[in-house]
């Protein structure tokens, strides 16, 4: 098998059982990767509130040299929505899973005490850890077991200090980067007493046509170097049209660029070893919460990182509280627009109503239409960056399955990205594969 590793790792936290399983090639071809594959395996595993599992699945091109190919999908059962949900993990975690020799990781059972998983290509360990560590403390705890040359390449996905709150806002942090729209998945980790997953692998990915594949990647990168100035100017123009001054204030000075695996775009920004909030997070803070000052936005975001709170989920829940007051379903919202201090108080109060999350609040108070409108507002802003691309939804779904970022559509020809799949796997993307992406 080319492109894929062809294996899944199953870990049972209850009894320590570990097994490597072969993945049916037809399953990989029909559900190419990412969220589509993760969700399909979740269905085959018949996960539910009583039988919840964490299913991680890397995209078909994740971990290859294809520009922007860094994503993997994480599926689990959402007990509030009462359905299987999926989020996309970025940065380096997906490629590292394939470097460990696996396309899929299935985690079941519940640990007897708080633990983390440490996985390499030839070893799986379930080790003890304290639950209320921040992500940076978790990373140090895991890495201090090893010499620096080895630990530098360990990739970690974890939950934050809010591990014991069972908040619906709990998200995930990977190597210090908050995973946007991961609210609720941290809760699934906590229910299993799983603090973190740490990966360190060295296995290569076999390619069907390595020479042609490498030439295609070389040509794509050469083309990017020629076009990158125009690309960044076009991106700047798109952001300017959205009229979000807070985004400029946060990202215009003393920044260091960071890139996901294999990505020349490097759209992630850091300042003083801290990641800065992304466009979607800044949009949520400014438009949903009324936060306009840079220092307040960064203060709230840094607290979200420490606690492991998804800032998008937080923004939606906080705005729902304001909507509840507006429609007179509660007497008074505990926060006001622009009230960063009030938000921080709510976040640190484990009993605060905001920890129900937007979906929980909407179900309890009959606010589903308003909640849906807020989600549509966020999605509309993101799609605005790609408004000149034909068949955007279909292409985004396919790219997600391949493990590619949406930004790839703005600078790399779609046909070349699909060609990379064929050269890597020796297979063609067929109608069944594309239909699977649309289904999920």
């Amino acid at each position: 098998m080319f492109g894929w590793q062809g294996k899944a790792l199953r870990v049972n936290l209850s009894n320590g059982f570990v097994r490597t399983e072969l993945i049916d090639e037809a399953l990989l071809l029909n559900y190419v990767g990412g969220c589509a594959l993760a969700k399909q395996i979740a269905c085959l595993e018949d996960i539910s509130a009583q039988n919840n599992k964490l299913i991680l699945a890397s995209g078909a091109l994740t971990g290859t040299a294809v520009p922007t190919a860094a994503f993997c999908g994480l599926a689990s059962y959402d007990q509030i929505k009462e359905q299987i949900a999926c989020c996309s993990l970025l940065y380096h975690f997906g490629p590292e899973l394939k470097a460990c020799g696996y396309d899929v990781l299935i985690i079941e059972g519940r640990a007897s005490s708080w633990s983390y998983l440490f996985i390499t290509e030839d070893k799986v360990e379930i080790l003890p850890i304290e639950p209320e560590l921040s992500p940076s403390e978790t990373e140090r705890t895991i890495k201090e077991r090893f010499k620096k040359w080895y630990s530098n390449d360990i990739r970690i996905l974890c939950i934050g200090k809010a591990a014991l709150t069972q908040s619906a806002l709990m998200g995930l942090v990977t190597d210090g980067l908050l995973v946007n729209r991961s609210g609720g998945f941290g809760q699934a980790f906590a229910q299993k007493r799983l603090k973190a997953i740490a990966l360190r692998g060295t296995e290569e990915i076999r390619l069907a046509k390595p020479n042609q594949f490498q030439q295609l990647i070389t040509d794509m990168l050469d083309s990017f170097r020629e076009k990158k100035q125009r690309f960044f100017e076009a991106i700047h123009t798109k952001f300017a049209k959205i009229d979000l001054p807070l985004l400029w204030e946060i990202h215009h000075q003393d920044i260091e660029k960071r890139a996901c695996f294999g990505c020349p775009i490097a759209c992630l920004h850091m300042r003083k070893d801290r990641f800065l909030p992304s466009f979607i997070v800044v949009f949520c803070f400014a438009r949903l919460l009324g936060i306009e000052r840079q220092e307040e936005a960064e203060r709230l975001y840094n607290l979200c990182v420490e606690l492991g709170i998804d800032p998008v989920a937080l923004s939606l829940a906080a705005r729902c509280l304001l909507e509840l007051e507006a429609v007179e379903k509660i007497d008074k919202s505990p926060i006001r627009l622009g009230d960063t201090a009030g938000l921080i108080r709510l976040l640190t109060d484990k009993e605060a109503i905001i920890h129900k999350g937007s979906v929980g609040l909407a179900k309890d108070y009959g606010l589903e239409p308003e909640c849906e409108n807020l989600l549509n507002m966020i999605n509309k802003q993101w799609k605005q960056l790609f408004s000149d691309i034909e068949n955007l939804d279909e292409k985004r779904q396919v790219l997600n399955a391949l493990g590619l970022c949406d930004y790839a559509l703005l600078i790399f020809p779609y046909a070349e990205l699909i060609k990379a799949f064929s050269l890597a796997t020796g297979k063609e993307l067929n109608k069944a594969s594309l239909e699977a992406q649309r289904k999920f």
Side-chain angles (χ1 to χ4, degrees):
M1 187 177 294
F2 299 104
W4 293 282
Q5 303 290 29
K7 295 184 294 184
L9 176 67
R10 183 182 297 273
V11 179
N12 190 305
L13 297 174
S14 299
N15 55 24
F17 176 78
V18 176
R19 183 173 68 197
T20 298
E21 303 171 357
L22 297 179
I23 305 174
D24 186 347
E25 186 172 356
L27 182 64
L28 293 174
L29 288 172
N30 289 329
Y31 301 89
V32 184
C35 282
L37 180 60
K39 278 191 170 183
Q40 178 61 14
I41 292 175
C43 291
L44 295 173
E45 294 283 320
D46 194 26
I47 71 171
S48 63
Q50 294 73 35
N51 180 40
N52 204 1
K53 301 181 183 184
L54 299 168
I55 315 290
L56 295 99
S58 283
L61 294 179
T62 300
T64 66
V66 175
T68 80
F71 282 50
C72 81
L74 167 61
S76 187
Y77 189 83
D78 189 317
Q79 297 188 31
I80 300 177
K81 295 180 180 178
E82 298 180 336
Q83 64 184 27
I84 296 170
C86 190
C87 72
S88 291
L89 307 175
L90 65 166
Y91 208 31
H92 292 275
F93 193 82
E96 202 68 25
L97 178 61
K98 290 182 85 167
C100 289
Y102 307 104
D103 300 301
V104 173
L105 173 61
I106 302 171
I107 303 172
E108 54 194 17
R110 184 172 189 256
S112 58
S113 60
W114 279 91
S115 306
Y116 73 93
L117 277 176
F118 183 72
I119 300 170
T120 69
E121 59 264 44
D122 55 12
K123 179 172 62 176
V124 178
E125 295 179 285
I126 303 174
L127 301 165
I129 194 168
E130 292 298 318
E132 294 187 280
L133 299 177
S134 69
S136 60
E137 291 168 338
T138 298
E139 288 187 24
R140 284 196 297 271
T141 299
I142 292 173
K143 290 183 176 183
E144 67 185 8
R145 297 175 55 212
F146 307 99
K147 293 183 178 179
K148 189 173 182 179
W149 68 267
Y150 185 91
S151 66
N152 282 345
D153 291 327
I154 295 174
R155 301 300 178 183
I156 296 170
L157 180 69
C158 69
I159 56 179
K161 296 179 75 171
L164 298 180
T165 67
Q166 286 299 313
S167 171
L169 307 178
M170 283 175 59
L172 302 169
V173 180
T174 178
D175 296 335
L177 177 68
L178 267 171
V179 181
N180 292 339
R181 306 194 190 208
S182 63
F185 288 92
Q187 198 173 28
F189 270 60
Q191 288 166 353
K192 294 185 172 300
R193 294 199 183 112
L194 181 64
K195 179 68 176 178
I197 305 168
L199 307 175
R200 215 283 191 176
T202 58
E203 285 201 15
E204 296 183 355
I205 301 171
R206 296 175 63 226
L207 304 174
K209 299 178 180 180
N211 292 336
Q212 291 174 256
F213 180 86
Q214 187 56 53
Q215 186 59 55
L216 175 64
I217 302 308
T218 299
D219 292 343
M220 292 174 73
L221 292 176
D222 286 345
S223 176
F224 173 79
R225 293 185 189 99
E226 293 174 2
K227 300 176 181 176
K228 69 177 183 180
Q229 186 61 37
R230 294 194 301 275
F231 166 76
F232 287 120
E233 288 173 356
I235 288 289
H236 180 80
T237 300
K238 288 175 181 287
F239 282 133
K241 287 181 179 179
I242 296 173
D243 188 24
L244 202 59
L246 182 61
L247 184 71
W248 171 251
E249 290 174 14
I250 291 175
H251 288 268
H252 85 286
Q253 62 179 357
D254 301 326
I255 63 166
E256 299 175 26
K257 287 194 169 188
R258 289 291 184 272
C260 294
F261 181 92
C263 180
I265 298 172
C267 68
L268 303 173
H269 292 167
M270 298 185 81
R271 183 184 299 118
K272 296 180 180 178
D273 297 324
R274 288 178 179 267
F275 280 102
L276 298 174
S278 67
F279 161 67
I280 285 296
V281 173
V282 174
F283 174 82
C284 288
F285 282 2
R287 298 291 169 81
L288 300 188
L289 303 182
I291 297 173
E292 299 178 351
R293 296 178 59 193
Q294 173 188 345
E295 56 269 28
E296 290 187 357
E298 291 189 29
R299 179 186 173 201
L300 179 59
Y301 184 76
N302 290 337
L303 178 63
C304 286
V305 174
E306 184 175 328
L307 296 177
I309 295 294
D310 174 15
V312 176
L314 167 65
S315 300
L316 288 167
R319 188 54 184 253
C320 279
L321 291 177
L322 294 169
E323 295 292 329
L324 286 172
E325 180 184 338
V327 297
E328 299 182 343
K329 293 193 175 183
I330 60 174
D331 291 334
K332 185 178 180 181
S333 169
I335 57 167
R336 289 286 177 266
L337 284 175
D339 184 11
T340 308
L343 272 172
I344 289 173
R345 283 195 300 272
L346 284 181
L347 270 182
T348 52
D349 178 0
K350 296 179 181 180
E351 305 300 322
I353 190 175
I354 199 170
H355 291 293
K356 287 177 174 283
S358 60
V359 177
L361 290 169
K363 288 181 71 173
D364 287 352
Y365 292 94
L367 205 66
E368 285 89 348
E370 289 84 352
C371 185
E372 189 67 27
N373 287 338
L374 292 173
L375 280 171
N376 290 338
M377 183 193 305
I378 296 171
N379 292 332
K380 181 181 178 180
Q381 287 302 318
W382 180 247
K383 285 186 177 181
Q384 188 173 327
L385 299 177
F386 308 89
S387 58
D388 53 347
I389 295 174
E390 296 182 0
N391 303 318
L392 174 62
D393 288 340
E394 177 182 324
K395 290 178 178 178
R396 287 182 68 200
Q397 288 167 336
V398 172
L399 259 62
N400 176 267
L402 297 177
L404 299 172
C405 172
D406 290 348
Y407 278 130
L409 292 172
L410 295 177
I411 194 164
F412 299 111
Y414 182 70
E416 290 186 1
L417 298 171
I418 300 303
K419 183 179 180 181
F421 171 82
S422 299
L423 295 177
T425 65
K427 307 291 184 181
E428 298 295 326
L429 272 177
N430 56 41
K431 291 182 179 180
S433 298
L434 298 178
E435 185 60 33
Q437 317 317 313
R438 286 191 286 274
K439 176 181 177 183
F440 288 109

